[in-house]
Every structure is written in structure tokens, then in C-alpha cells.
Amino acid sequence: ALSLLIQTASLMGRSAKIVRTSAFEKQKRHEKGQEWRKSQWKQARESEKTSKAQGKAEEKADAMETDDQHQKELSGKVEEAM
């Protein structure tokens, strides 16, 4: 009885739920040698993150530059005062 159950289960194949998942589709595309493209939303989000990170880096560099200028001005004023 158990062997009959196992045989019928193997004849049935994969469940429809697992076949429709993106992970399974990605695996099948990889086996066929096809490329899995990223969604447009994911690409847009990644580009948004990189541009945001670059903007923050530029702001930090500008802040450091202005801080250096202020330090030089202060040191010049201190020297004049002495």
C-alpha cells in the first residue's frame, strides 16, 4: 500500500504552488541557460540607493572642505591676535 502511494505521488509531479514560485522559475531558467532579469522596480531602487549614497558622500566631502576652511580662518585670526 505504501509503495502504491509513493508511485502515485511521483506520477503526479510537482505541485502547482511550488511551480509558480519565482525561486522555482529562476532555477528552471538557470537550468535552461536563460538569464533571470531583475524587475524594473528592483533596478530603480538600487539606482536610487547608489545615487543617494553618492550624494551623501559628496555632502560629507563638502562639509569637510568647509570645516578645513573655517579652521584655517580661525588659526589665522588667532595668529593675528597674538
Side-chain angles (χ1 to χ4, degrees):
L2 184 60
S3 63
L4 179 63
L5 181 63
I6 293 172
Q7 287 176 349
T8 56
S10 65
L11 291 176
M12 289 169 50
R14 297 193 181 263
S15 70
K17 185 177 182 181
I18 203 168
V19 174
R20 286 193 307 261
T21 61
S22 60
F24 184 78
E25 290 177 18
K26 190 174 187 177
Q27 178 185 358
K28 293 302 272 186
R29 278 177 119 6
H30 182 71
E31 288 172 1
K32 291 180 184 178
Q34 296 174 333
E35 182 180 320
W36 182 263
R37 291 178 282 137
K38 290 184 181 178
S39 71
Q40 291 178 349
W41 288 105
K42 191 171 188 177
Q43 288 177 338
R45 180 69 179 135
E46 285 179 357
S47 65
E48 181 182 325
K49 282 184 176 182
T50 55
S51 64
K52 189 175 182 181
Q54 288 174 350
K56 283 186 177 183
E58 290 174 359
E59 287 178 10
K60 189 174 182 180
D62 290 342
M64 293 293 287
E65 188 175 309
T66 56
D67 191 38
D68 288 342
Q69 289 174 352
H70 288 295
Q71 289 293 331
K72 288 179 184 178
E73 289 174 6
L74 288 175
S75 64
K77 289 180 181 178
V78 169
E79 288 178 9
E80 289 176 7
M82 289 185 171

